[in-house]
Amino acid sequence: MPKKANVKLKKIKAKIKEHINEAVPQSNINYCLTCGLCVSGCPASGLEGLDPRKFLRLIVLGQDEEILGTDWIYSCTMCARCKYACPMGIDIGRIVYELRGMRPKDKRPPNLQRSCDLQKKSNSTGIPNEDFVWVVGDVLEEVHQNEPDWADLKAPIDKKGAKYYLNQNAKEPTVEPEEMVPLWKILHAAGIDWTYSSKWWDGANYCLFTGDPQDWEYTVRKQAETVDSLGCRYYINTE
Ligand code: SF4
Ligand code: SF4
């Protein structure tokens, strides 16, 4: 019988691996073949010194400190390309989402967290709802004055019973308001009956990117309630 090696094996904690196995059971990370197909089309490959295959190896090998210490999870765009390339169907973007949610809020990229926090109050840039309403009216007036062909262009807000509800990326009314106009023109030319809302009008949802399902759901529910209260039939999400 061979002698037992006189080496105490360090117990690997691998808390992250445990969590991923529970939270993303459809992606069995133990099945990774280290084939590297996930790396081939990954836009985050090589950033922060990692690629999806190396990242996954760190999890499988229980290297929790390295995983928690890297910002690569914010380089991954969660685009899911790797999932479709992977012969074992491992969804690295989904795993990254879990890991983002595991980060304490004060250790996340501040701008990302701030946008999510603001989103839960109203919109991701924090501009007052009255300013949104004013900007829409002001831009519309400018179009009427300067573009005779679009003198009857409309940008309705809180129009009860409109068939389509349209949301808006908050960045546009905040920093580039004229960028809202092309979509208004398309809807107008297509004869679409639409409306914005004066509240919960922001279509972006940064809480998806912070990995907070409760916060994400909260803002989506607020938007859905607004659509219902206006009696709209379809929801056009611009994001
Ligand atoms: S493609 Fe899938 S199996 Fe291959 S290295 Fe990437 S995660 Fe592992
Ligand atoms: S989800 Fe992340 S790891 Fe996968 S291809 Fe996209 S950026 Fe790369």
Side-chain angles (χ1 to χ4, degrees):
M1 207 167 151
K3 265 188 173 176
K4 268 191 185 172
N6 191 19
V7 178
K8 276 191 185 165
L9 288 174
K10 199 173 153 195
K11 200 175 173 204
I12 297 170
K13 285 191 183 139
K15 292 267 181 232
I16 290 179
K17 188 176 169 184
E18 255 173 50
H19 176 80
I20 297 300
N21 281 336
E22 274 170 31
V24 197
Q26 67 277 24
S27 286
N28 191 332
I29 55 179
N30 295 311
Y31 289 170
C32 174
L33 306 167
T34 67
C35 64
L37 280 174
C38 51
V39 185
S40 56
C42 171
S45 203
L47 300 175
E48 302 280 341
L50 279 184
D51 63 39
R53 176 174 52 178
K54 287 184 194 164
F55 173 73
L56 208 69
R57 293 322 296 159
L58 289 174
I59 299 177
V60 172
L61 296 172
Q63 303 299 301
D64 290 15
E65 269 179 37
E66 276 87 336
I67 290 284
L68 292 173
T70 177
D71 276 340
W72 188 80
I73 54 172
Y74 298 105
S75 301
C76 166
T77 60
M78 304 196 289
C79 64
R81 276 183 173 202
C82 51
K83 176 184 164 188
Y84 294 104
C86 176
M88 307 313 285
I90 297 172
D91 187 348
I92 296 175
R94 179 70 181 78
I95 292 169
V96 163
Y97 173 79
E98 282 300 319
L99 290 172
R100 288 189 186 191
M102 285 172 84
R103 274 261 179 122
K105 290 192 175 179
D106 62 345
K107 299 277 188 278
R108 296 175 184 173
N111 285 344
L112 187 61
Q113 189 57 48
R114 182 173 171 270
S115 296
C116 172
D117 292 340
L118 286 170
Q119 187 111 42
K120 284 187 288 173
K121 293 181 188 151
S122 167
N123 66 82
S124 56
T125 59
I127 64 164
N129 287 333
E130 306 79 63
D131 287 12
F132 170 65
V133 173
W134 184 85
V135 168
V136 168
D138 189 53
V139 171
L140 185 66
E141 200 179 310
E142 226 169 82
V143 174
H144 289 163
Q145 281 172 3
N146 301 327
E147 300 183 55
D149 287 350
W150 294 98
D152 56 350
L153 185 70
K154 293 184 178 61
I157 297 183
D158 292 336
K159 183 183 172 192
K160 288 264 182 197
K163 192 168 178 184
Y164 291 86
Y165 172 90
L166 177 71
N167 64 25
Q168 179 67 60
N169 184 321
K171 201 169 75 160
E172 285 161 0
T174 310
V175 294
E176 43 192 20
E178 66 286 351
E179 291 298 318
M180 296 188 287
V181 179
L183 186 52
W184 299 351
K185 287 182 175 173
I186 290 169
L187 295 171
H188 184 83
I192 300 286
D193 175 25
W194 69 279
T195 187
Y196 281 135
S197 165
S198 59
K199 50 186 185 175
W200 300 103
W201 46 269
D202 184 4
N205 196 331
Y206 285 87
C207 305
L208 163 64
F209 304 114
T210 55
D212 292 311
Q214 289 89 356
D215 294 348
W216 178 19
E217 183 183 338
Y218 176 78
T219 56
V220 170
R221 282 197 184 281
K222 286 291 177 194
Q223 289 177 20
E225 282 166 20
T226 309
V227 179
D228 285 345
S229 72
L230 288 171
C232 300
R233 195 161 160 205
Y234 297 105
Y235 177 20
I236 305 176
N237 189 350
T238 56
E239 291 305 301

